[in-house]
Amino acid sequence: MKQALYALAVSILASALALCWAVKTASPASPASPAAPEDPRAEICAQVRDMALAREVIPADYLRFLDQDLAAQAEEYNAETASLKSQYTVYAKEQIHSMFQYYRENEPERLNYFASEELICEVAAHLARCALYRNAQQLFYEDPAMAYALSGEEGGSGELWAAALHQGFQAGGNLVMEVEAYLDQVDAFVDALDGAAQ
């Protein structure tokens, strides 16, 4: 009986030593391969897309990471964005000054929120940004300060300068055609950037 126990113990010990030796001499497991680094061009395309969605001018340094076609679209987008922002800023300033002049002459007792040149600049810049989106009117009135300043105009023709940004009868046919083409251009540019980022 003792011999059987010794034999069993020796057998277990031998098995344990064999297992230790096998583990020690086995080739080390290859470490998990690190994840492939993300394509920096895809990241740049995503950043440029975000700038286009925010209607920001894209810095020239970004263009070198884009292929030739996307870089050309980006340059065209930049030129149109800057031009339209400028045109709509001028449009807004003219409309506000005209309205201010009208109230000063015809309703001098009325509280006029546009007596401040600083506020006029703020409103004009806000309107110019909003004009570069299809839902310009909703975006413009989303700003509580703008909505409050124009609340006295609501429902009247005086409100049209802010409400009809994409209407030829108010903003002018050429500007409206230009902004409509721009909106289609931005859609195509963003789609192309999305395709390149995948």
Side-chain angles (χ1 to χ4, degrees), residues 122-194:
E122 184 182 333
V123 171
H126 179 62
L127 181 134
R129 280 191 306 274
C130 294
L132 302 184
Y133 293 91
R134 294 188 193 280
N135 61 337
Q137 180 181 355
Q138 293 166 322
L139 291 171
F140 185 79
Y141 285 105
E142 183 182 39
D143 184 322
M146 303 302 132
Y148 185 68
L150 289 171
S151 60
E153 304 299 321
E154 197 163 359
S157 60
E159 180 196 24
L160 288 176
W161 68 272
L165 293 173
H166 296 162
Q167 302 299 318
F169 70 86
Q170 180 65 34
N174 289 339
L175 182 54
V176 168
M177 287 191 327
E178 194 174 334
V179 79
E180 285 174 358
Y182 170 81
L183 293 170
D184 292 340
Q185 172 195 6
V186 171
D187 288 345
F189 182 42
V190 168
D191 287 346
L193 288 164
D194 281 340

Side-chain angles (χ1 to χ4, degrees), residues 19-122:
L19 182 61
C20 287
W21 182 82
V23 168
K24 187 175 180 182
T25 59
S27 61
S30 60
S33 58
E38 288 189 29
D39 181 3
R41 292 181 193 273
E43 177 61 28
I44 292 290
C45 283
Q47 290 175 16
V48 169
R49 181 201 59 222
D50 291 345
M51 285 184 244
L53 290 172
R55 303 305 191 259
E56 297 171 1
V57 172
I58 301 160
D61 289 349
Y62 282 76
L63 304 187
R64 66 191 181 105
F65 293 98
L66 304 177
D67 66 36
Q68 189 173 4
D69 182 51
L70 283 175
Q73 288 183 61
E75 288 176 347
E76 188 178 343
Y77 159 84
N78 277 348
E80 287 299 313
T81 299
S83 172
L84 285 169
K85 278 185 180 178
S86 175
Q87 290 181 70
Y88 271 109
T89 299
V90 169
Y91 162 83
K93 282 183 168 181
E94 288 173 353
Q95 298 296 318
I96 294 167
H97 282 294
S98 173
M99 191 168 58
F100 175 59
Q101 185 68 25
Y102 171 83
Y103 288 131
R104 189 166 57 189
E105 293 173 2
N106 298 293
E107 299 179 37
E109 72 286 350
R110 177 180 174 150
L111 177 60
N112 192 331
Y113 296 98
F114 297 117
S116 159
E117 198 63 37
E118 185 179 339
L119 182 57
I120 291 172
C121 290
E122 184 182 333

